[in-house]
Amino acid sequence: MVKDFLPEGWGVQGERGIAFVVTGPSGAGKSSVIAEVLRRDGRLTFSVSATTRPRRPEEVHGRDYYFVSEAEFDRLLAAGELLEWTKYQGHRYGTPRREVVSRLQAGKDVLLNVEVRGALAIARAGLPYPVVLVFLVPPSWGELRRRILARGTESREALEARLRIAREEVRHIPEFHYLVLNDELERAVATLSAIITAERTRLVPWSR
Amino acid sequence: MVKDFLPEGWGVQGERGIAFVVTGPSGAGKSSVIAEVLRRDGRLTFSVSATTRPRRPEEVHGRDYYFVSEAEFDRLLAAGELLEWTKYQGHRYGTPRREVVSRLQAGKDVLLNVEVRGALAIARAGLPYPVVLVFLVPPSWGELRRRILARGTESREALEARLRIAREEVRHIPEFHYLVLNDELERAVATLSAIITAERTRLVPWSR
């Protein structure tokens, strides 16, 4: 037990819940990387976001997102039940505060897949738990464009809008702790898993 | 390339050399963990310390330590060639500055196995490279005692001295970044490797 050796008031982050916030431009491959990391790590739980965006064919309500109406999203907002929210290409995305906080309180680690501005909002929300900020990037701008096109769901205008947003988003990289290159799924998964393992052993003063 | 996305002046630590300083009480298992991590990670190099301590049967000069005379150690000290040095149970141990700095300058990561006070001295030496401080602990005080006894090279007095020193050393744990529990070699190796992988992706301002 590490406790045998630690001075009073000190611990490692893994003794309590940690919030791992993963973001990156649309097309960076966040969802694929996160799904695989979750599959391998039994101590991680996924925080499902609420969104007003229409469900894509491969997505499942309650697993990928809570797909809610505009009225329901308004209600969550008014009740202060969203830890962060953002509007992205006409749709709103939000993180239910209760979902995140109750897991952290129970000592579970929470993985969040959010847009860049949402990640920064969570970082600033003053959660009384460690928040680790990870930014995922594709191998190149050309590859990002190819990945968005490969989805086949985007108009020319939507593609260009995504790339413009991505260029704005990467300017916030210095506000993150880690930058993970998603050139190959297996490598990106291993790197994100390593970050999670490392942060669990990071020393912190619990007295704060 | 992560460079495609990073603002001017920013990078990830893995673009340059990182010093990983691993310490812990005598008997924590530093040498075994480090040997295995080095075997698996081709980007890591080991910084060999100089010592006036007699060589143990299994140790090799130039691989485990540079075994030097008291006079040679004096010369290294006088020439300012030691990044840190410490006296431990009557013997002196030091880290040759040139060995560490030249590797970091070449962009290689350096792993150092040093006593606790030496680790803290390296942290304070003001190296213009990232220095990551890892403290390794055994599963319990009882197990530490068993491991020291199992070496069979210790007198009763030397054992008690080691345990006294260890109790003083663990008081410095809060000055480290990571605490790794060496309850099982494979797990400790995986954890140290994860810390190394994670730190390579940590964002830093290079302009500093």
Side-chain angles (χ1 to χ4, degrees), chain B residues 60-119:
Chain B
V60 175
H61 178 80
R63 184 195 72 185
D64 300 294
Y65 286 98
Y66 297 114
F67 296 97
V68 300
S69 65
E70 295 288 347
E72 173 63 9
F73 202 95
D74 286 339
R75 195 198 64 75
L76 290 169
L77 260 181
E81 289 185 15
L82 296 179
L83 198 54
E84 58 83 28
W85 76 279
T86 188
K87 196 160 188 171
Y88 187 83
Q89 299 204 321
H91 304 299
R92 290 184 291 173
Y93 297 78
T95 302
R97 178 189 294 269
R98 200 180 304 169
E99 174 134 342
V100 175
V101 171
S102 66
R103 291 177 196 199
L104 292 172
Q105 275 174 345
K108 289 182 191 157
D109 295 334
V110 181
L111 194 56
L112 296 102
N113 174 354
V114 292
E115 310 297 321
V116 175
R117 274 181 289 183

Side-chain angles (χ1 to χ4, degrees), chain A residues 81-101:
Chain A
E81 290 185 15
L82 297 179
L83 197 54
E84 58 83 27
W85 76 278
T86 188
K87 197 160 188 172
Y88 186 83
Q89 298 203 321
H91 304 299
R92 290 184 292 173
Y93 297 77
T95 303
R97 177 188 293 269
R98 200 180 304 170
E99 173 134 346
V100 174
V101 171

